[in-house]
């Protein structure tokens, strides 16, 4: 069986009727989720006890948990340990979710292990009412299987959604747990208040297992502390990154954005705690009792040179990422919550301004946006209005409008009609926000930028490739590659592009969805996703 056969079979788990029915049933009784996960794990030939050998670092949060995991994995890999890293979602290819020593597992390895796990589950489904695990649950089982077979020294595991009932929480004894910044997201599953969400996130705490969190809103911190007491897990709050004493001045991070500094501090605490247990297995951590309601502070230790290098070497595609292709510069960030979008806007305004100061003439700014699920697109778009875009472009998370679309990026849970309807709603929201802003006489952010009209032009395209091709107007050599078929566009739409052709440079912010960013990277950075 080939890699694409494995991916196409994996995609059937997105639409498997019995799997979807099980998910719907479990949402009413979430405690059944881990019970079902244990059953699938055993059918795949794995025992929960085996996961203890993976020496796991388990990380949850609303914002920054993936970046925290990336920092942590890079630090420990820099020490020479063989690392496993499970994250979600993937940007371009499914195998990005399962990494060994920082690299997505190869197609041959993915295919080999996929069929081992899928075969065992398929062989036993008739004895279990035809039940197969849903997409994410299957990939979690596959990751555990890969890490055990590949004999990693440790596994960094990012929670999917929530924590308490997330299928990654099947593990009994992680070595250390972390909670990144909390906010409001996935409210239909996790609850509609910060306290309810913090309760879910704190569900990954385990008895006697050290846990760390960044500074949180007061109500969230109270709940995390309550959960730590309940689980008898010693919980500490990370110091600010500036508090760590160093011999090299301010710590330099490989990931851009001020918000990454709290993620880096959490990664330092997680990796330091893991190393303590690895090198000092008899070291004990203070217990947490019901009477101890104070939040303990994590120590601002002196990071080792290896830790400092690890923080600086960290890469995490699609998060505050900049790509320059000739006259076209792309600013990519998968921000998809209100808090992460605020951070994205700060990063974009600072970074784009630096680029524009060095430009030889007028710069056109373009927003390429999409959002999925229950997220408040209109509220996020309102945050983007001050960036003074010349065009706002909307498209669904479809890489290209062709039958040959890559199976790695197919999503069968949302219809194309619904995706396009969402784009049209976003276009209307943008017009509304932009017209309100124009009446306030907003000042231009960058001198020498294109003269602003009273309202930004907004357009909707059927796929990511067609949107990128129109925005770049033939000025990105990557998109003019003969392998990329140029999709036809109405003359009236092409006529709107004159400012893009006249500008000295084009700056494009791609945000609102990691799936959108991934679809863009498939075209813009294809060499890294073969």
């Amino acid at each position: 069986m080939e890699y694409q056969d494995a991916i196409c079979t994996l995609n059937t788990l997105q639409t498997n009727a019995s799997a979807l029915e099980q998910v719907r049933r479990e949402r009413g009784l979430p405690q059944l989720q881990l019970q079902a996960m244990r059953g699938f794990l055993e059918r795949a030939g794995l025992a929960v006890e085996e996961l203890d050998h993976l020496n796991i670092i388990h990380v949850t949060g609303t914002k920054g948990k993936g970046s925290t995991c990336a920092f942590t994995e890079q630090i420990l890999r820099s020490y020479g340990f063989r690392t496993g890293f499970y994250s979600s979602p993937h940007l371009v290819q499914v195998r990005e979710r399962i990494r060994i020593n920082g690299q997505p597992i190869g197609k041959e390895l993915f295919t080999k292990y996929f069929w081992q796990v899928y075969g065992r589950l398929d062989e036993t489904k008739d004895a279990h009412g035809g039940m197969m695990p849903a997409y994410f649950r299957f990939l979690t089982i596959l990751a555990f299987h890969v890490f055990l077979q590949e004999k990693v020294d440790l596994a960094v595991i990012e929670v999917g959604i929530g924590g308490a009932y997330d299928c990654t929480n099947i593990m009994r004894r992680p070595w250390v747990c972390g909670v990144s910044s909390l906010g409001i997201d996935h409210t239909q599953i996790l609850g509609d208040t910060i306290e309810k969400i913090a309760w879910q996130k704190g569900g990954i705490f385990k008895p006697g297992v050290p846990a760390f969190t960044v500074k949180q809103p007061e109500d969230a911190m109270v709940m995390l502390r309550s959960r730590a007491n309940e689980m008898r897990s010693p919980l500490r709050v990370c110091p600010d990154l500036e508090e760590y004493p160093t011999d090299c001045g301010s710590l330099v991070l490989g990931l851009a954005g001020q918000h990454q500094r709290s993620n880096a501090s959490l990664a330092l605490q997680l990796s330091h705690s893991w190393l303590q247990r690895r090198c000092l297995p008899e070291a004990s951590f203070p217990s947490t009792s019901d009477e101890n309601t104070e939040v303990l502070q994590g120590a601002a230790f002196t990071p080792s040179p290896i830790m400092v290098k690890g923080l600086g070497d960290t890469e995490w595609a699609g998060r505050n990422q900049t790509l320059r292709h000739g006259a076209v510069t792309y600013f990519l960030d998968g921000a998809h919550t209100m808090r992460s979008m605020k951070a994205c806007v700060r990063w974009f305004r600072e970074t784009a301004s630096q680029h524009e100061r060095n430009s030889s003439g007028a710069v056109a700014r373009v927003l390429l946006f999409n959002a999925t699920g229950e997220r408040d697109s209109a509220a996020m778009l309102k945050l983007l209005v001050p960036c003074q875009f010349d065009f706002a472009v909307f498209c669904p998370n479809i890489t290209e409008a062709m039958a040959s679309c890559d199976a790695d990026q197919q999503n069968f849970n949302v219809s194309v009609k619904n995706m396009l309807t969402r784009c049209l709603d976003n276009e209307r929201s943008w017009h509304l926000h932009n017209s309100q802003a124009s009446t306030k006489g907003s000042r231009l952010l960058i001198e020498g930028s294109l003269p602003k009209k009273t309202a930004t032009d907004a357009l909707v395209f059927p796929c990511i490739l067609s949107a990128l091709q129109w925005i770049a107007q033939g000025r990105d050599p990557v998109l003019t590659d003969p392998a990329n078929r140029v999709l036809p566009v109405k003359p009236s739409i092409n006529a709107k592009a004159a400012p893009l052709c006249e500008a000295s440079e084009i700056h494009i912010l791609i945000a609102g969805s990691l799936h959108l960013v991934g679809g863009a990277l498939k075209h813009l950075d294809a060499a890294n996703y073969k």
Side-chain angles (χ1 to χ4, degrees), residues 381-440:
L381 287 169
K382 188 174 183 178
L383 295 175
L384 288 158
V385 170
C387 292
Q388 293 284 331
F389 293 104
D390 298 286
F391 294 93
V393 176
F394 305 95
C395 68
N397 295 340
I398 299 172
T399 54
E400 48 195 305
M402 299 167 64
S404 61
C405 183
D406 197 334
D408 279 282
Q409 295 190 311
Q410 289 179 334
N411 182 349
F412 297 102
N413 293 322
V414 185
S415 71
V416 173
K417 180 181 178 181
N418 286 343
M419 285 191 281
L420 287 171
T421 299
R422 182 73 175 266
C423 291
L424 293 170
D425 288 342
N426 290 339
E427 181 189 31
R428 282 189 286 271
S429 294
W430 181 261
H431 279 306
L432 177 62
H433 291 319
N434 207 251
S435 62
Q436 291 173 344
S438 65
T439 63
K440 298 177 183 178

Side-chain angles (χ1 to χ4, degrees), residues 91-93 95-96 104 107 317 321 323 325 330 332 399-400 406 408-409 465 468 476-484 517-530:
L91 292 175
V92 179
Q93 297 180 335
R95 56 196 180 86
E96 296 166 38
K107 290 183 178 181
Q321 181 181 4
L323 287 177
H325 293 178
Y330 301 90
L332 304 103
T399 54
E400 48 195 305
D406 197 334
D408 279 282
Q409 295 190 311
L465 179 58
L468 290 173
D476 180 349
V478 172
L479 294 175
T480 56
D481 188 306
N484 288 322
V517 168
L521 284 172
K522 177 182 182 292
H523 298 297
L524 301 175
D525 198 19
N528 282 327
Y529 296 98
K530 290 182 178 177

Side-chain angles (χ1 to χ4, degrees), residues 329-335 341 344 348 365-371 381 384 389-399 423 426 430 456-457 459-472 479 506-521 523-524:
T329 303
Y330 301 90
F331 302 85
L332 304 103
D333 190 58
M341 189 59 74
C344 171
F348 174 71
R365 279 188 178 184
V366 184
L367 170 67
L368 178 57
F369 179 92
N370 190 40
L381 287 169
L384 288 158
F389 293 104
D390 298 286
F391 294 93
V393 176
F394 305 95
C395 68
N397 295 340
I398 299 172
T399 54
C423 291
N426 290 339
W430 181 261
T456 302
D457 273 328
L459 304 95
V460 174
F461 286 85
C463 68
I464 296 169
L465 179 58
S466 62
L468 290 173
Q469 287 176 335
W470 184 84
I471 297 168
L479 294 175
I506 303 172
H507 289 176
I508 307 165
L509 173 63
I510 304 176
S513 164
L514 274 169
H515 299 287
L516 173 68
V517 168
L521 284 172
H523 298 297
L524 301 175

Side-chain angles (χ1 to χ4, degrees), residues 40-170:
F40 286 124
L41 201 66
E42 292 172 352
R43 283 171 53 191
L46 300 175
V48 172
E49 293 75 16
E50 289 182 82
L51 305 185
D52 297 346
H53 303 305
L54 291 178
N55 309 330
I56 290 170
I57 298 172
H58 201 196
V59 182
T60 188
T62 305
K63 173 178 168 284
K65 64 182 186 292
S67 298
T68 297
C69 288
F71 279 126
T72 306
E73 186 276 334
Q74 177 68 61
I75 289 171
L76 293 173
R77 175 157 45 96
S78 298
Y79 273 94
F81 294 109
R82 182 171 173 80
T83 61
F85 179 11
Y86 178 57
S87 64
S88 60
H90 61 277
L91 292 175
V92 179
Q93 297 180 335
V94 174
R95 56 196 180 86
E96 296 166 38
R97 297 180 182 227
I98 305 173
R99 296 171 183 257
I100 302 290
N101 282 339
Q103 296 300 314
I105 60 174
K107 290 183 178 181
E108 289 186 8
L109 210 59
F110 182 94
T111 304
K112 168 188 168 183
Y113 289 132
F114 174 90
W115 290 116
Q116 287 178 4
V117 173
Y118 187 88
R120 293 169 188 168
L121 290 164
D122 191 54
E123 288 167 4
T124 56
K125 70 179 182 182
D126 289 343
H128 294 83
M131 289 299 304
M132 290 289 284
Y135 187 88
F136 182 76
R137 191 174 279 170
F138 177 89
L139 286 171
T140 304
I141 296 169
L142 178 60
F144 288 144
H145 178 64
V146 170
F147 296 153
L148 287 167
Q149 293 298 310
E150 291 297 306
K151 296 179 171 56
V152 299
D153 294 314
L154 69 127
V156 180
I157 306 293
E158 179 189 357
V159 167
I161 295 177
Y165 304 121
D166 186 75
C167 61
T168 63
N169 205 31
I170 192 68

Side-chain angles (χ1 to χ4, degrees), residues 291-321:
E291 291 77 27
N292 182 10
T293 57
E294 294 298 317
V295 176
L296 301 174
Q297 295 299 311
F301 58 86
T302 301
S304 71
I306 294 176
M307 288 178 169
V308 173
K309 185 177 186 300
L311 290 176
D313 289 346
T314 301
E315 297 178 353
W316 194 226
R319 288 81 172 176
N320 304 131
Q321 181 181 4

Side-chain angles (χ1 to χ4, degrees), residues 40 184 212 239:
F40 286 124
I184 304 296
F212 296 88

